[in-house]
Amino acid sequence: MSTFKNLISESALISQTTIAHYDQHAVTYYEGTKDHDVSQNIDALLSTIKTEPPFHILDFGCGPGRDLQTFAKLGHVAVGLEGSKEAAQIAKTKSGCEILVQNFFNLSLPDNTFDGIFANASLFHIPNKLLPKVLSNLWACLKPNGILFSSNPRGNNEEVWYGDRFGSYHDLESWRSFMTDAKFTEIEHYYRPSGLPIEQQPWLASVWKK
C-alpha cells in the first residue's frame, strides 16, 4: 500500500509542477515555438493514415496550438488535449479547435474515435510507471488501424527533473518495448533534425499503428 501511495504522491508532484510551468510560460512558449518547422513530423503522421480525409486527429499535448492550426488549415478535424489551462486557452483562440483540458495521468477519451494521434514533445513528460496506462488509453481511442506519431527527446532511459519540468528520456529499444507492450506495431522511426550526425539529433520520432 505504501508503494502505491508513494506512486500517487510522486505522480501528483510531477503533474502539478510540470503543468504549473506551462501555465506560467504559456505565452512565452507560444511565441518561442510558433515558427518551429515540424512539417516532417506532421507528414509522417498524415501520410500513414490510410482512410479517406478529412482525418480526425488528436493533438496530444497540443500546447498553445501551433500544430492544431496546421491540421485545421489542411482540412482535418483536429482536437487538442492539454494539461495547462493557460496553454489550452491560447490554443483554442488561435486554432478555433475543440480543446480537452485533461491531466495526462488521468485521461478520459472516447473509444475508437481518432484516425491519428500527434504526440509531439509530450509523452516524455510521463514517468515510466504510468506510461503503460497512458499508452493503453491512447490505443483505445484510436480507430482500428489508427496511427500514433510520437517525437521525444532521446536519452539513455534516465528520468530526471530539468528545472520544474519532469522528463523521461528513452532510447529506441526502451521506447519500442513500451509501445509494443501497449499493442502498437512499429511503422518507422527517424531522428531529428534531419541531415545531421546522430550525435546532433536529439529527437527520436516514431510512427505506430493500432
Side-chain angles (χ1 to χ4, degrees):
M1 180 65 72
S2 60
T3 301
F4 178 74
K5 287 182 178 179
N6 289 342
L7 176 60
I8 295 298
S9 177
E10 179 185 16
S11 301
L13 175 64
I14 290 170
S15 177
Q16 292 167 7
T17 306
T18 302
I19 288 173
H21 171 90
Y22 286 111
D23 276 337
Q24 182 179 356
H25 299 285
V27 174
T28 303
Y29 188 68
Y30 176 75
E31 293 297 330
T33 63
K34 65 180 180 179
D35 296 322
H36 285 186
D37 181 8
V38 294
S39 56
Q40 181 185 17
N41 294 346
I42 290 173
D43 291 343
L45 172 67
L46 297 181
S47 66
T48 313
I49 298 174
K50 300 305 182 185
T51 188
E52 289 296 316
F55 305 142
H56 284 72
I57 303 293
L58 177 67
D59 188 348
F60 182 82
C62 67
R66 176 197 63 211
D67 303 327
L68 281 172
Q69 295 178 71
T70 300
F71 289 125
K73 288 175 182 176
L74 291 172
H76 302 296
V77 181
V79 175
L81 188 147
E82 176 56 43
S84 162
K85 291 182 179 179
E86 296 299 325
Q89 184 56 53
I90 296 173
K92 185 173 183 61
T93 300
K94 296 291 184 181
S95 71
C97 296
E98 178 185 2
I99 311 295
L100 306 174
V101 181
Q102 294 188 17
N103 187 311
F104 290 1
F105 305 163
N106 188 27
L107 298 172
S108 178
L109 296 168
D111 289 346
N112 300 312
T113 298
F114 298 101
D115 299 300
I117 296 173
F118 191 66
N120 193 71
S122 55
L123 288 172
F124 80 103
H125 285 311
I126 298 168
N128 291 344
K129 291 179 180 178
L130 295 180
L131 187 55
K133 174 188 174 184
V134 174
L135 293 177
S136 177
N137 292 152
L138 296 182
W139 190 93
C141 81
L142 279 171
K143 295 177 183 178
N145 298 312
I147 301 297
L148 184 149
F149 170 88
S150 74
S151 180
N152 298 311
R154 62 190 182 92
N156 296 306
N157 306 314
E158 64 271 28
E159 295 190 285
V160 297
W161 287 92
Y162 56 112
D164 49 7
R165 289 180 290 176
F166 175 88
S168 186
Y169 300 90
H170 301 273
D171 63 16
L172 176 60
E173 292 309 313
S174 170
W175 188 245
R176 273 180 172 158
S177 179
F178 278 107
M179 294 299 292
T180 55
D181 285 350
K183 301 191 290 186
F184 285 98
T185 300
E186 184 177 355
I187 295 176
E188 68 166 327
H189 73 273
Y190 56 90
Y191 297 101
R192 279 178 51 85
S194 60
L196 296 175
I198 186 68
E199 62 271 12
Q200 297 177 33
Q201 294 177 311
W203 293 89
L204 168 62
S206 54
V207 184
W208 304 84
K209 183 173 74 171
K210 177 174 179 177

